[in-house]
Amino acid sequence: MSAPVLRLVDIHKRFGDNEVLRGVSLDVHDGEVIAIIGASGSGKSTLLRCVNLLERPSAGSIVFQGEAVDYRARPGLLGGDRALSALRTRIGMVFQSYNLWPHKTVLENVVEAPIHVRGEARAVAVERAEALLARIGLAEKRHDHPSRLSGGQQQRVAIVRALAMEPKVMLFDEVTSALDPELVGEVLALMASLAAEGMTMLVVTHEMDFAREVSHRAVFIDEGRVVEDGDSDTVIGAPTHPRTRQFLDRVLRRHHAVGASPGILDVAHRARARPDE
Amino acid sequence: MSETVTRLVAYWESIASYMPGFLDASWLAFEITLLVIAVSWGCGLLAALGKLSRLRVLRWPATFYVWFIRGTPTLVQVFLFYFGLPQTGLRLSPFVAGVLALGINSGAYVAEIVRGGLAAMPRGQMESALALGMSPALAMRRIILPQVVRMIIPPITNEAASALKNTSLLSTITLVELTLHSQLVIAATYRPFDFYLIAAVLYLLMTTVLTQLAAWFERRFRLDH
Ligand SMILES: Nc1ncnc2c1ncn2[C@@H]1O[C@H](COP(=O)(O)OP(=O)(O)OP(=O)(O)O)[C@@H](O)[C@H]1O
Ligand SMILES: [Mg+2]
């Protein structure tokens, strides 16, 4: 197998006395889709945020595309840090709360970073943005402000905003958790189609169907450690570690109690089938 | 009957003859206010960012500035600039001393307003910008401040109106703005009620212009328009 796109080696993160990550190692290969699952507070978000240095790890090393990431460097007075910026342009991130910028239109949200970070000509950025918006069926909404869009539409725009930077890896942090159940499917479908195209993805999620069906690999995190890491069917379908079993029992029971939204699995199946067509 | 009319006409004519002087003095007060606003926005923005900085050399002066200004009377600050500074060898004209004193004064209040606006911004707004590779400075300029500006238009307008009313304090440093002009006219005419009332109406007109302007801006730059 080729060298990993991203290597996390023994990552630790402490907030004061609270050690949230206690030595996490993870190799992420090109085109791999990894679901990161675990209980609330286990450190999943912190792990993702360490990858693009929204959090500075306390110890450990990050190697991205063969280069060690120097996360110890302090940014200058005005925060200008080219290496950090370059890393972040190659790693897209999507948040639970969309975080679109409300004072900008949908199109402006998408072209902002290509123009002002990558220095792209406006026409070029707009062309790519419009193609991406067309792909998610929101081309007509491009001059609307985000507040006019549904949660699902906003989240898909947020995904497209990250894609506009043509990232190598995408990080998703519970991107469907804030959505009304009927809007979850459209976002998962978009993610599944990205996965099918070969995007490398780290996906923190509570959607076990998605984790199982779309991702190749699942990583179960418990109290800041990787407890189980393997083929997603195995980790979710037949976990070996008691903590994993416990967690999945709880999640799946709640899931069935609420009533699984039937659309999600179908959508994921269809997306997964796409490359074989 | 016609005698009363004649007297009334004479009364209004005498007041009207003073109007050009009052309008000039109002314009001066308004001009000073615009300069004070400019100075206060500069000081306020710098102090707000300074207070939030992780660098002590920026945080401490900014914190001291806001603390000192908000804890001392505006009039004393004006006196410090006009009467105090010459003792250190720096002699300012009443106009310059007045603009600086009121601008720096108002800046401390603007700083608190801006700081409140920045604090009210959801953390995700900055984080999503950083995650796309923006530097903190670029994110501040293009993502955060434009939203904060819209959010703080109402309190900033109040502050501008205060600045306008505070220009009357400059009557104490020989600046013939609207209040001192009124005093001079009253000293010559012994008609304090007439002329202070006229001054009040002129101040009211000017603060109304400011608030209407702000209301227009607020409508024009609503977040989702
Ligand atoms: N900036 C921070 N300062 C202090 N503590 C933090 C910070 N961020 C996270 N933590 C703590 O780290 C722990 C792990 O948080 P994290 O958000 O990574 O968990 P999570 O697995 O994503 O949970 P959830 O499923 O609820 O999102 C929590 O106890 C949290 O309180
Ligand atoms: Mg989380």
Side-chain angles (χ1 to χ4, degrees), chain A:
Chain A
M1 209 180 218
S2 59
V5 189
L6 173 71
R7 294 196 79 160
L8 305 177
V9 185
D10 200 24
I11 299 290
H12 289 255
K13 176 62 188 180
R14 231 171 279 112
F15 292 107
D17 288 339
N18 183 12
E19 188 166 30
V20 174
L21 296 180
R22 304 164 184 231
V24 173
S25 298
L26 200 64
D27 281 1
V28 182
H29 292 271
D30 197 14
E32 221 176 2
V33 179
I34 304 181
I36 298 173
I37 59 175
S40 181
S42 56
K44 306 179 299 293
S45 298
T46 306
L47 180 64
L48 280 198
R49 294 163 59 82
C50 280
V51 171
N52 69 352
L53 299 186
L54 282 182
E55 300 291 355
R56 196 181 294 263
S58 311
S61 66
I62 302 173
V63 181
F64 181 63
Q65 293 185 313
E67 276 177 56
V69 175
D70 179 13
Y71 58 80
R72 287 170 191 87
R74 301 284 294 181
L77 178 61
L78 291 177
D81 184 331
R82 294 200 161 280
L84 180 61
S85 171
L87 175 80
R88 286 173 175 165
T89 58
R90 286 179 291 163
I91 301 180
M93 184 165 195
V94 186
F95 302 84
Q96 180 175 339
S97 48
Y98 338 133
N99 298 345
L100 292 179
W101 303 312
H103 61 305
K104 292 183 180 291
T105 63
V106 164
L107 184 64
E108 286 167 348
N109 265 273
V110 179
V111 299
E112 176 71 18
I115 292 174
H116 293 279
V117 177
R118 293 220 303 195
E120 260 173 38
R122 188 171 178 86
V124 176
V126 167
E127 196 182 323
R128 192 171 52 251
E130 289 188 335
L132 284 165
L133 289 170
R135 171 184 173 165
I136 59 171
L138 291 178
E140 302 90 79
K141 302 267 186 191
R142 65 190 182 281
H143 297 308
D144 281 345
H145 282 259
S147 57
R148 296 284 186 88
L149 273 54
S150 74
Q153 291 173 330
Q154 289 190 49
Q155 191 60 294
R156 287 183 292 136
V157 171
I159 293 173
V160 156
R161 177 175 68 175
L163 291 177
M165 294 296 275
E166 303 181 314
K168 189 67 199 147
V169 175
M170 286 281 285
L171 311 174
F172 294 87
D173 191 0
E174 290 193 41
V175 296
T176 57
S177 296
L179 295 175
D180 290 337
E182 71 271 21
L183 302 178
V184 167
E186 63 192 58
V187 173
L188 292 182
L190 173 57
M191 291 165 67
S193 79
L194 286 179
E197 284 166 16
M199 175 61 80
T200 310
M201 298 164 53
L202 286 180
V203 186
V204 170
T205 186
H206 288 299
E207 299 284 345
M208 289 307 145
D209 293 339
F210 179 86
R212 193 165 171 180
E213 299 298 323
V214 178
S215 58
H216 310 116
R217 214 172 123 195
V219 172
F220 175 66
I221 297 199
D222 188 44
E223 297 186 339
R225 286 194 187 85
V226 173
V227 169
E228 199 151 341
D229 176 354
D231 174 65
S232 58
D233 271 335
T234 315
V235 172
I236 295 163
T240 50
H241 200 283
R243 297 288 303 206
T244 321
R245 244 180 265 147
Q246 217 176 32
F247 168 75
L248 286 168
D249 271 356
R250 222 173 36 235
V251 172
L252 295 176
R253 199 169 333 116
R254 186 170 50 209
H255 187 62
H256 290 303
V258 173
S261 33
I264 298 168
L265 253 178
D266 294 349
V267 163
H269 270 304
R270 257 185 279 123
R272 201 186 207 196
R274 200 166 299 171
D276 310 328
E277 279 168 9

Side-chain angles (χ1 to χ4, degrees), chain B residues 164-184:
Chain B
L164 177 88
K165 290 180 277 180
N166 276 344
T167 58
S168 73
L169 294 174
L170 304 185
S171 62
T172 59
I173 59 168
T174 74
L175 194 86
V176 191
E177 40 58 73
L178 184 50
T179 301
L180 183 50
H181 179 77
S182 313
Q183 285 170 342
L184 295 178

